[in-house]
Amino acid sequence: MKNEIVEAFSLLAKEKNIDKEILSRILQEIFLNMLRKKYGQNGNYSIFVNMEKGEIEIYQSKLIVELVTNDVTEIDLETARRAEPDLQLGDEFLEIIDPSTFGRRLIISAKQNLNQRIKEIEKELIFEEFKNRIGEIIIGDIRQVNREEIFINVDRTELSLPKNEQIKEEKYRRGDSLRAVIKDVRWTSRGPEIVVSRSDPMFIIRLFELEVPEIYEGIIEIKGIAREPGERTKIAVFSHDKRIDAVGACVGMKGMRIQSIVKELNNEKIDIINFSTEPEIFVTRALSPAKPSRILIYEDEKRVIAVLDDEQISLAIGKGGQNRRLASKLTSYDIQTIREEDYQKMMAQEREANKSLEDVEGLSEKLKTLLIEAGLHSIRDVQDAADETLLEIPGIGEKTLEKIKNIIQSHNQ
């Protein structure tokens, strides 16, 4: 019977892909609990399980005494000598326990306990396996489609594709095969929850790695990605080999590589651009298909003003502001788009704002002197100064301040 038990458990370990050493420890714990239930907590037991040989031995250590007062921990000399004639009073006697004596109820309880422990271990193994696979693309079959999430079967494991990780407008049907990227693995009260995504930018990165060998091998590097799932993606690439055109490699011969990715993404538009460390060049490329006439970089503010001709402005902004929004995300600059005409007006105002107070008509020499001595040398300096600061200048009161502001305002018109 012992061999049958171990053999059954060995088959279980193989079927569930559980390490035999782990299962051996579980068996030891289960048999120990069975012994304690049958004989109490005071027994000194030893359990040896050999999964390879299919052997299990259970021993109970008893003290040899003249008069037994506790048959769980003691044995009389006569009984002990039937097994080993050389034993003496005070010696330790190891009694072999037959598992078949445990009774049907304990056996059923042990089986239930084993099944529960195996389920727990299976969950732990699944958690560890998929935690190490975050960022990997999986292919599974849709098992169930709910309003808030879709359940996918992968290697007999259930994965979740929540609504916010799905591509908008995609239709999912039970039984269909689906690709997604493993985004998150977390432990819940029900066990491991494996979340996959088709909307995460990582999904596109992994698709490019599958379709473009140069990316997988590290010759071409994806420097940045901005995505609005199901609609449009901008991706910046860089070639570490000057002989290889990064954009051309990603597009492929006759566009076959990019077409394969677009098809997987349900015809999502993908703009591939060459990365540049020069902000002006990078922003210009990111705004494609629009072609700015000039780019103004404000590095301290991480802000960019893109100047475009009238026919280019709508292309730069895109439908619902999408092109500009994606370009801003890709480059990490807040991109503002203006027409050439507005740019000229802005520059004129800029020049006027930087005009020296010495050249401002309408300001008396006395006021000019007061302002310049206070460290205000241009129209912009006065505009940027708070009223409280100006009123602290000796000789400038409320009425004088109002006069100064009116003169400055007239120069901005």
Side-chain angles (χ1 to χ4, degrees):
M1 178 181 174
K2 290 184 292 184
N3 290 348
E4 290 176 0
I5 291 173
V6 177
E7 184 179 352
F9 289 158
S10 294
L11 289 173
L12 191 60
K14 186 176 181 181
E15 179 187 343
K16 300 292 187 179
N17 195 28
I18 297 174
D19 187 83
K20 287 186 177 181
E21 289 187 11
I22 295 175
L23 190 58
S24 176
R25 288 198 297 270
I26 293 173
L27 284 172
Q28 289 176 357
E29 292 175 14
I30 288 173
F31 277 111
L32 186 61
N33 288 333
M34 291 172 68
L35 289 164
R36 286 172 176 166
K37 285 182 181 179
K38 183 173 176 65
Y39 300 107
Q41 296 288 334
N42 297 325
N44 187 10
Y45 311 105
S46 298
I47 303 167
F48 302 94
V49 179
N50 189 324
M51 302 298 295
E52 298 297 333
K53 295 182 179 180
E55 296 176 350
I56 180 168
E57 298 291 344
I58 305 173
Y59 301 97
Q60 183 177 13
S61 177
K62 293 185 176 183
L63 182 66
I64 299 175
V65 295
E66 190 172 348
L67 181 63
V68 175
T69 58
N70 185 339
D71 58 4
V72 174
T73 59
E74 299 173 340
I75 188 171
D76 64 85
L77 182 60
E78 182 182 350
T79 304
R81 281 181 170 174
R82 289 175 193 163
E84 296 183 48
D86 296 334
L87 291 172
Q88 302 294 328
L89 286 172
D91 288 347
E92 181 186 33
F93 176 75
L94 293 178
E95 182 178 10
I96 299 174
I97 297 177
D98 186 349
S100 62
T101 63
F102 290 159
R104 180 177 176 82
R105 187 170 60 84
L106 279 178
I107 294 291
I108 291 172
S109 175
K111 187 177 179 182
Q112 291 172 342
N113 191 357
L114 176 65
N115 287 333
Q116 181 61 35
R117 290 294 303 278
I118 286 175
K119 286 179 181 178
E120 291 172 1
I121 288 175
E122 279 187 289
K123 290 177 180 179
E124 291 171 4
L125 290 174
I126 289 170
F127 178 77
E128 290 299 326
E129 176 194 349
F130 281 92
K131 187 175 70 172
N132 295 325
R133 293 175 64 185
I134 289 176
E136 179 184 319
I137 281 185
I138 55 90
I139 302 176
D141 297 322
I142 297 176
R143 184 185 65 81
Q144 186 177 346
V145 179
N146 293 338
R147 186 174 181 179
E148 295 301 322
E149 64 183 326
I150 292 169
F151 293 103
I152 304 166
N153 275 346
V154 177
D155 299 330
R156 294 185 299 178
T157 302
E158 185 178 83
L159 282 60
S160 169
L161 177 64
K163 189 171 184 179
N164 63 328
E165 300 295 344
Q166 299 169 20
I167 295 178
K168 190 170 61 174
E169 306 301 331
E170 271 193 341
K171 303 298 180 184
Y172 305 101
R173 292 184 296 273
R174 184 179 177 184
D176 284 355
S177 181
L178 193 69
R179 283 208 285 189
V181 67
I182 299 173
K183 182 175 181 178
D184 188 24
V185 179
R186 46 183 175 251
W187 191 266
T188 69
S189 57
R190 295 175 298 173
E193 182 181 8
I194 303 154
V195 177
V196 297
S197 176
R198 283 178 60 81
S199 64
D200 194 275
M202 182 59 68
F203 184 49
I204 290 186
I205 292 173
R206 292 293 178 259
L207 289 175
F208 268 94
E209 289 177 348
L210 288 174
E211 295 293 335
V212 184
E214 293 88 346
I215 291 179
Y216 181 78
E217 294 166 5
I219 299 170
I220 294 175
E221 181 183 353
I222 295 175
K223 286 289 192 177
I225 184 168
R227 186 184 184 199
E228 294 193 359
E231 297 182 25
R232 192 170 188 173
T233 289
K234 286 182 180 287
I235 186 166
V237 293
F238 176 79
S239 176
H240 292 283
D241 187 337
K242 293 181 179 179
R243 297 169 298 177
I244 297 176
D245 172 27
V247 173
C250 292
V251 172
M253 190 71 70
K254 296 183 179 179
M256 290 188 67
R257 288 176 175 176
I258 191 64
Q259 285 171 14
S260 177
I261 295 171
V262 168
K263 184 179 179 182
E264 174 64 43
L265 299 172
N266 201 22
N267 295 322
E268 183 174 317
K269 294 178 181 178
I270 301 178
D271 299 335
I272 308 172
I273 67 167
N274 279 308
F275 173 79
S276 175
T277 55
E278 296 293 330
E280 185 175 342
I281 297 173
F282 192 27
V283 171
T284 299
R285 291 171 179 172
L287 283 170
S288 176
K291 297 177 180 178
S293 57
R294 56 173 58 86
I295 296 288
L296 308 178
I297 306 289
Y298 299 88
E299 193 63 49
D300 292 343
E301 305 171 35
K302 295 299 286 183
R303 183 170 64 91
V304 167
I305 293 179
V307 184
L308 301 106
D309 295 333
D310 286 353
E311 65 272 15
Q312 293 287 317
I313 197 77
S314 59
L315 281 175
I317 295 171
K319 184 180 178 182
Q322 186 184 74
N323 193 61
R324 180 174 56 191
R325 192 162 56 245
L326 288 173
S328 293
K329 188 174 181 181
L330 183 66
T331 61
S332 299
Y333 283 92
D334 178 18
I335 301 175
Q336 300 170 4
T337 52
I338 64 170
R339 291 177 170 82
E340 181 69 36
E341 181 184 350
D342 295 330
Y343 168 72
Q344 295 301 336
K345 289 180 181 178
M346 183 184 76
M347 293 308 294
Q349 291 172 352
E350 189 79 12
R351 288 191 295 271
E352 189 64 31
N354 289 322
K355 189 174 183 180
S356 172
L357 290 180
E358 293 281 7
D359 300 325
V360 175
E361 296 179 6
L363 276 180
S364 67
E365 292 300 322
K366 181 180 179 181
L367 282 178
K368 289 178 184 179
T369 302
L370 288 173
L371 292 170
I372 291 171
E373 287 179 351
L376 306 173
H377 299 278
S378 68
I379 290 177
R380 183 180 296 281
D381 291 340
V382 177
Q383 287 176 324
D384 292 344
D387 288 356
E388 293 80 3
T389 303
L390 295 170
L391 288 171
E392 289 176 359
I393 300 173
I396 295 180
E398 293 284 354
K399 289 184 179 180
T400 306
L401 175 60
E402 188 67 28
K403 180 181 178 182
I404 292 171
K405 290 170 72 173
N406 288 334
I407 293 170
I408 295 296
Q409 188 177 358
S410 67
H411 273 269
N412 291 331
Q413 295 175 349

